[in-house]
Every structure is written in structure tokens, then in C-alpha cells.
């Protein structure tokens, strides 16, 4: 690794210097406090001036006098009238209606009190209001055409001395209110003048404080700018060095990756050769143990032919890893069949679950997690070894030979995932027949294979695996199982390729059919039951 000696700034010393300078600056609180004790006058205290005293609400009593209610005005009058006569708060509609009509002179306070007292609810409450009857009747009389006007004139003439007295009282009250309001304005004006003087004094002192602190802040700012510039330069140099190192490392990694790929390829070939050599040595050992003489050329040729069968085991194992999907993905997809297997095992009494062409053993592992007795068969030695490393019950053998050695009705569940497409027609029929023979009554067979109904699968993806023979349509495999004895054969289409956005045009129906065929399920399975 390259060591860089770049001149820079000691951050710790810089921070100590900034803190020390900041501590020497006077704080705004201390400055203002000192001025309060010396030059600044105390802040003027605001004392609200009472303009008038509102009447307190009427207490709850058994009876009231009209004068008590007439002392109130506006909203306070409406609230007290309701609380006193109806013994409840006014509803919003009634309150707004009476207040509006009172403000526009359409009703008097006596009218409102009378209407509340002699309303249906008021008659139920029966709260006495002394002095209400005669004034309320007169107000009702005023509303009678002609007679009402005459009555109003007579009443006004008779009450003229009282009206004059009330006007004099009102004049005196207005004078008092005007005097109180003038005194309040003078008091508030005096407070505002003192407040303005105090604010001006504060502004002057604040300007002095800011001016005295600005110099120190400017010095700190200049120092910070200098440090920032140094950091910026150091950062740019660091980035340049890092980029140069990264390019060097990328070249080194690329070269190492190429060498590693070559070595891995050689290692894979060497591993396959070692596997074949070990198999030949094992065969030779067996031949030597059974033969008294050294094996002749014919026997050696037979041994070599058996070894050639495993020549591509490693390559096909790598092929499955690339195109089959991860182990977890495969387990997730085939977990669909677990309920079928569990029901069959319950029906047949917990027999054996046999998986032919088990490959990497995902189905065997999945059954084992459910405590189901499962065994796998496969010819690929590399895959069998991987299964053994996972402690899975897998045998390296030909599936047809193994099935022929089994007794009748010994298997509860027989499965083959992506096996039938590798077989010729005669071997496929033999497999179905042997499966029917060894399965118990109530047991099932499950064969999963690529779905050629999906034209992408049938025309292209199926041939990704060069060991595939030919695709089998779902109805064909269903027919073969029924023809060889299985009952209630079901077809399950699985693993939808993708969602399709169809073209909303009647002229594009043919195109939509093609899109539908391209997006159908990629796999299907036939499940047959033995009765």
C-alpha cells in the first residue's frame, strides 16, 4: 500500500483554538444583563386599564324581576334570558335569530323575554318573571293594526316623563364611558411612548454589541475559510490518489479474475478427470478381487465405457446451477406438491416417497423437513456426491433398474421433476408402467415437465438443455397416464412467465392471442392416482 505524506491541518488544535476564542467573546445575555444594571432603564410595566365591568351572570333562582333581565345587553342578555327562564343554554339557531332581530329593532328585550316565558317550553318550566305581564301585553297590542299605533302613542305620552329621565341617565352614562375611554387611551399612549424609548435604547446597545463582536467573528470566519480551503485542497489530492490507486487495483483484479477463470476451468477439468480415474480404479479393484488373472483388454474397455458415462457429470451439474435456479427458488416452486404428497402418505399409511432423477435433491430435502421418509435416484455422480454431503438419502443408479428390483405396491409417492422430456417414448411407457406397479393403492405419481403451450418454452427455452428429447403437450402426458392405469389424472400449470398488457384494439386480437401464448405457465405437472 502506498503511504502518503501530505501537509495538512491539525483538526484537534484548530477546534481547541475556535473554542478558546469563542469563550473569550462576551455572550449576548451577559452584555444585556450588564447594561440593565448600569445604563439601561427597567422595561416599562404594562398595566391594563379596566374599561368597564361586565355584569356577572344571573344566579339560578325560583323567580326573577323584569328589571334584572333588562340590565343585560346583546349576547349576554340572550344567554341570561335562556338560563333564567328556560334553565338551559340557548341553542345556536334560537340565539342567532333573537340576536339578529334585537339588533335590527324588530324585537325588544321585553318581547324576547315574553316569548321565552310564554313559549311551550317556558310554560312547562313556569319560572315567574315579575313585572312582565303588562309590558308584554302592551307590546303584543302594538302589533295590532291601527289600534296598535294608537296604543303606542298613548303609552309614549303617558311615559314621557320616564323617557326624559332615562335619556338624562343615558347621557350621564355616555359621558362616564367617554371619560373612562379617554383616560385609558392616555394611559396606553404613555406606555407606548415609554416602550418606544426603551426599544430605541435597546437597539443602540445592540448595535454597539454587534459592532464589538463583528471583528472577532470576522477573524474566526477568515480562519475557517482558510481551514476550509486547506481541507478542500487535501480532499482533491486524496481523491486523485484514490482514483489512481483504484485504476491500478481494477487492472490487477481484472488480471487476477482472468487467471482465476483459467485456473477454475482447468480445475474443473482436472476434477472430472480425477472422478473418472477414481471410478476406473474402483472398477479395476472389483475386477481384481473377482478375477484370478489380470483383466484383459475387453474388460478394460468395458470399464472405460462405464467411466465415459460420467464424463459430463460436472458440466451438467454446473449447467443445472446456471439454468435451473437457486436451491431456494426450486424448493419454493416445488413446495406446491407437498399437500398432495402428504395426503397420499396419509392414505397409504406413511410409505416411501421415491424421487427419480432427483438432481441436487431439493425435493428430498423438502420432504425431510416435513419428517417424510424420502429417497432419491440419479445417475449423475457429482450431484449424488453433493446430496451425500447434505446427508440426503440418494442412490447413484439407473431409475428403471431400481424400479424393476422393487416389489409391487411398496411406494406411496413417486415423483420425477423434469425427467420425462429426457426419455424416448418406449422408455417413458416403461417408466409409467413400473411406476404403476410399485405404487400402493391410494398412492400418486407426479411428473413435472416444461409446458410447450407457452410458445417461448416450446420453441426456444426447451432446447436450452441439449439432453432434452422433445416437448410433451399436457394432454398427451395425461392420456398416457390414464392409458396405463392411473385414475383421476390432474393437470396443473405452474410458474407463470409474466403479466401481459394486451392491446385494446379489435384488429389486434390475433396479436393478443400470441401474447397470451407467450406468457402462459412455463411448466406443468400431471398427477395420477392409483385406485
Amino acid at each position: 500500500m502506498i503511504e502518503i505524506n501530505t501537509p495538512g491541518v491539525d483538526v484537534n488544535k484548530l477546534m481547541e483554538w475556535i473554542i478558546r476564542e469563542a469563550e473569550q467573546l462576551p455572550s449576548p445575555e451577559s452584555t444585556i444583563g450588564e447594561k440593565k444594571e448600569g445604563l439601561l432603564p427597567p422595561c416599562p410595566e404594562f398595566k391594563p386599564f379596566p374599561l368597564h365591568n361586565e355584569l356577572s351572570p344571573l344566579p339560578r333562582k325560583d323567580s326573577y324581576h323584569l328589571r334584572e333581565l333588562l340590565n343585560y345587553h346583546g349576547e349576554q342578555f340572550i344567554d341570561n334570558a335562556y338560563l333564567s327562564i328556560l334553565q338551559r343554554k340557548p341553542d345556536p339557531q334560537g340565539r342567532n335569530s333573537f340576536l339578529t332581530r334585537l339588533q335590527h329593532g324588530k324585537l325588544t328585550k321585553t318581547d324576547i323575554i315574553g316569548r321565552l316565558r310564554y313559549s311551550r317550553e317556558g310554560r312547562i318550566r313556569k319560572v315567574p318573571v315579575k313585572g312582565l305581564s303588562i309590558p308584554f301585553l302592551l307590546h303584543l297590542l302594538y302589533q295590532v293594526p291601527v289600534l296598535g299605533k294608537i296604543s303606542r302613542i298613548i303609552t309614549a305620552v303617558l311615559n314621557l316623563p320616564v323617557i326624559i329621565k332615562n335619556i338624562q341617565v343615558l347621557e350621564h352614562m355616555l359621558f362616564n364611558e367617554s371619560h373612562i375611554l379617554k383616560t385609558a387611551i392616555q394611559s396606553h399612549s404613555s406606555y407606548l411612548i415609554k416602550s418606544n424609548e426603551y426599544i430605541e435604547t435597546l437597539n443602540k446597545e445592540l448595535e454597539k454589541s454587534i459592532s464589538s463582536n463583528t471583528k472577532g467573528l470576522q477573524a474566526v470566519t477568515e480562519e475557517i475559510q482558510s481551514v476550509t480551503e486547506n481541507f478542500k485542497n487535501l480532499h482533491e489530492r486524496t481523491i486523485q490518489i484514490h482514483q489512481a490507486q483504484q485504476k491500478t487495483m481494477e487492472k490487477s483484479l481484472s488480471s487476477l479474475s482472468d487467471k482465476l477463470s483459467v485456473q477454475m476451468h482447468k480445475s474443473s477439468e482436472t476434477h472430472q478427470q480425477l472422478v473418472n480415474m477414481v471410478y476406473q480404479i474402483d472398477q479395476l479393484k472389483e475386477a481384481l478381487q473377482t478375477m484370478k488373472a489380470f483383466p484383459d483388454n475387453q474388460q478394460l474397455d468395458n470399464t472405460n465405457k462405464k467411466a465415459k458415462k460420467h464424463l459430463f457429470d460436472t458440466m451438467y451439474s454446473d449447467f443445472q446451477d446456471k439454468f435451473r435456479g437457486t436451491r431456494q427458488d426450486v424448493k419454493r416452486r416445488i413446495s406446491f406438491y407437498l399437500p398432495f404428497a402428504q395426503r397420499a402418505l396419509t392414505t397409504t399409511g406413511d410409505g416411501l416417497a421415491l424421487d427419480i432423477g432427483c438432481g441436487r435433491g431439493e425435493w428430498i430435502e423438502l420432504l425431510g423437513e416435513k419428517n417424510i421418509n424420502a429417497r432419491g435416484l440419479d445417475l449423475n455422480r457429482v450431484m449424488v456426491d453433493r446430496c451425500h454431503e447434505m446427508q440426503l438419502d440418494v442412490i447413484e443408479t439407473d431409475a428403471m433398474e431400481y424400479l424393476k428390483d422393487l416389489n409391487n405396491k411398496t411406494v406411496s409417492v413417486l415423483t420425477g421433476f423434469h425427467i420425462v422430456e429426457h426419455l424416448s417414448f418406449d422408455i417413458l411407457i416403461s417408466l409409467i408402467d413400473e411406476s404403476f406397479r410399485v405404487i400402493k393403492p391410494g398412492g400418486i405419481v407426479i411428473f413435472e415437465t416444461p409446458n410447450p403451450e407457452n410458445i417461448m418454452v416450446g420453441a426456444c427455452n426447451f432446447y436450452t438443455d441439449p439432453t432434452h428429447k422433445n416437448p410433451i403437450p399436457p394432454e398427451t402426458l395425461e392420456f398416457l397416464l390414464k392409458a396405463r392405469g392411473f385414475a383421476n389424472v390432474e393437470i396443473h400449470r405452474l410458474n407463470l412467465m409474466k403479466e401481459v398488457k394486451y392491446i385494446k384494439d379489435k384488429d389486434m386480437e390475433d396479436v393478443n392471442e400470441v401474447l397470451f401464448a407467450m406468457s402462459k405457465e412455463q411448466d406443468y405437472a400431471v398427477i395420477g392416482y392409483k385406485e
Side-chain angles (χ1 to χ4, degrees):
M1 184 174 179
I2 302 173
E3 183 176 355
I4 306 169
N5 185 13
T6 306
V9 178
D10 190 330
V11 179
N12 293 328
K13 290 184 179 180
L14 174 63
M15 292 304 298
E16 291 176 0
W17 180 84
I18 291 174
I19 293 171
R20 187 170 57 254
E21 290 295 323
E23 289 176 349
Q24 293 177 1
L25 294 174
S27 64
E29 292 81 359
S30 62
T31 305
I32 293 174
E34 291 173 1
K35 293 297 179 182
K36 277 187 176 181
E37 294 175 1
L39 301 176
L40 287 179
C43 179
E45 182 181 359
F46 176 71
K47 296 181 180 180
F49 191 90
L51 295 178
H52 60 82
N53 294 322
E54 290 188 354
L55 295 175
S56 57
L58 273 175
R60 183 70 64 86
K61 299 190 301 182
D62 294 333
S63 64
Y64 298 89
H65 197 281
L66 180 62
R67 287 193 302 271
E68 293 181 275
L69 297 171
L70 295 179
N71 287 332
Y72 295 92
H73 304 280
E75 294 182 358
Q76 196 176 18
F77 164 73
I78 301 294
D79 292 342
N80 279 284
Y82 267 86
L83 290 171
S84 302
I85 299 170
L86 302 184
Q87 298 179 354
R88 66 174 176 84
K89 292 183 178 180
D91 55 281
Q93 183 178 0
R95 179 177 183 175
N96 293 333
S97 175
F98 280 135
L99 189 59
T100 302
R101 296 165 75 181
L102 180 64
Q103 290 172 346
H104 289 81
K106 294 182 179 180
L107 290 178
T108 65
K109 289 191 280 187
T110 302
D111 291 333
I112 294 173
I113 295 171
R115 293 192 179 200
L116 291 176
R117 173 60 185 84
Y118 296 109
S119 66
R120 182 178 180 182
E121 186 179 355
R123 292 196 301 273
I124 293 173
R125 298 293 184 185
K126 296 181 180 180
V127 176
V129 180
K130 298 176 182 179
L132 173 63
S133 301
I134 295 175
F136 181 62
L137 289 174
L138 287 174
H139 279 265
L140 292 177
L141 184 61
Y142 294 159
Q143 298 177 10
V144 178
V146 181
L147 182 60
K149 290 185 178 181
I150 296 172
S151 300
R152 186 182 293 272
I153 293 171
I154 294 171
T155 303
V157 172
L158 293 176
N159 289 330
L160 189 59
V162 177
I163 294 173
I164 294 172
K165 180 181 178 182
N166 289 339
I167 291 173
Q168 292 175 347
V169 172
L170 180 62
E171 181 182 5
H172 178 72
M173 289 176 61
L174 289 174
F175 176 78
N176 287 338
E177 290 291 334
S178 174
H179 178 72
I180 292 171
L181 182 62
K182 187 182 295 184
T183 304
I185 292 172
Q186 291 176 352
S187 175
H188 291 176
S189 299
S190 175
Y191 172 77
L192 290 174
I193 292 171
K194 293 179 181 179
S195 297
N196 286 333
E197 293 174 353
Y198 182 74
I199 290 172
E200 289 179 1
T201 304
L202 286 180
N203 283 334
K204 292 178 181 179
E205 295 301 324
L206 183 60
E207 288 176 359
K208 293 180 181 178
S209 177
I210 291 173
S211 177
S212 62
N213 292 335
T214 299
K215 295 180 180 179
L217 291 174
Q218 287 177 347
V220 173
T221 302
E222 292 173 358
E223 187 65 25
I224 290 175
Q225 289 176 348
S226 175
V227 172
T228 302
E229 189 67 26
N230 290 337
F231 271 122
K232 182 179 179 182
N233 295 334
L234 179 62
H235 179 65
E236 290 176 352
R237 293 178 61 184
T238 304
I239 290 176
Q240 293 174 357
I241 295 171
H242 175 71
Q243 290 175 345
Q245 291 178 340
Q246 186 175 4
K247 290 181 180 178
T248 304
M249 290 178 65
E250 287 177 353
K251 290 181 181 178
S252 300
L253 288 174
S254 178
S255 176
L256 287 173
S257 177
D258 294 340
K259 292 180 181 179
L260 183 60
S261 298
V262 173
Q263 292 299 323
M264 287 180 65
H265 180 70
K266 291 181 179 179
S267 175
S268 177
E269 293 178 348
T270 303
H271 175 72
Q272 183 61 51
Q273 292 173 0
L274 288 174
V275 170
N276 295 334
M277 291 175 64
V278 169
Y279 181 77
Q280 293 178 14
I281 291 170
D282 290 340
Q283 294 295 319
L284 288 172
K285 285 181 179 180
E286 292 179 3
L288 289 173
Q289 291 174 357
T290 57
M291 297 176 60
K292 296 181 180 180
F294 191 79
D296 56 19
N297 291 335
Q298 182 64 37
Q299 292 172 326
L300 289 174
D301 288 340
N302 292 335
T303 301
N304 288 332
K305 289 179 181 178
K306 292 181 179 179
K308 287 181 179 179
K309 292 181 179 179
H310 299 281
L311 184 62
F312 301 109
D313 283 1
T314 300
M315 184 181 68
Y316 195 73
S317 175
D318 295 339
F319 179 87
Q320 288 288 307
D321 290 341
K322 180 176 178 60
F323 293 99
R324 178 73 170 146
T326 65
R327 190 174 194 85
Q328 292 302 320
D329 286 340
V330 174
K331 287 177 66 177
R332 176 184 54 79
R333 293 199 298 265
I334 62 178
S335 63
F336 168 81
Y337 304 106
L338 273 176
F340 298 95
Q342 290 171 329
R343 284 196 295 269
L345 289 165
T346 302
T347 302
T348 58
D350 294 335
L352 175 67
L354 186 65
D355 186 29
I356 61 175
C358 65
R360 299 178 299 188
E362 292 94 347
W363 178 242
I364 305 300
E365 182 182 7
L366 196 60
L367 293 175
E369 292 172 357
K370 302 297 181 181
N371 297 320
I372 296 174
N373 181 24
R375 180 176 299 157
L377 310 175
D378 207 288
L379 278 172
N380 189 301
R381 182 171 299 164
V382 174
M383 292 187 178
V384 171
D385 289 342
R386 291 170 65 178
C387 291
H388 288 168
E389 291 174 0
M390 299 181 65
Q391 307 300 316
L392 301 177
D393 183 5
V394 175
I395 301 174
E396 181 190 334
T397 184
D398 181 81
M400 292 301 300
E401 294 177 1
Y402 186 86
L403 288 175
K404 290 177 181 179
D405 291 337
L406 289 178
N407 295 327
N408 295 343
K409 304 175 182 178
T410 54
V411 177
S412 296
V413 178
L414 191 145
T415 54
F417 298 101
H418 293 261
I419 295 299
V420 295
E421 66 269 18
H422 294 265
L423 307 178
S424 61
F425 181 73
D426 55 340
I427 295 178
L428 174 59
I429 298 300
S430 298
L431 173 62
I432 297 173
D433 289 343
E434 286 298 318
S435 300
F436 186 81
R437 181 183 65 82
V438 300
I439 290 177
K440 296 180 178 182
I444 61 172
V445 64
I446 302 174
F447 290 135
E448 184 184 272
T449 186
N451 183 14
E453 294 174 328
N454 183 314
I455 59 177
M456 287 296 294
V457 173
C460 178
N461 297 347
F462 179 86
Y463 299 99
T464 302
D465 189 338
T467 63
H468 283 177
K469 294 287 186 184
N470 51 266
I472 306 173
E475 289 77 8
T476 302
L477 194 54
E478 177 192 28
F479 172 80
L480 294 178
L481 262 65
K482 288 181 178 179
R484 309 311 288 184
F486 286 98
N488 303 321
V489 179
E490 304 170 359
I491 298 176
H492 295 274
R493 293 169 174 82
L494 308 167
N495 305 324
L496 190 68
M497 179 169 281
K498 60 181 178 180
E499 294 290 337
V500 180
K501 294 183 178 179
Y502 295 108
I503 303 172
K504 296 180 180 180
D505 190 340
K506 293 183 179 180
D507 297 333
M508 292 294 183
E509 290 182 357
D510 294 339
V511 176
N512 286 333
E513 289 181 4
V514 174
L515 292 174
F516 173 73
M518 292 177 64
S519 61
K520 293 190 70 173
E521 293 82 355
Q522 300 177 74
D523 303 309
Y524 77 91
V526 290
I527 301 179
Y529 296 82
K530 183 174 180 180
E531 295 181 340

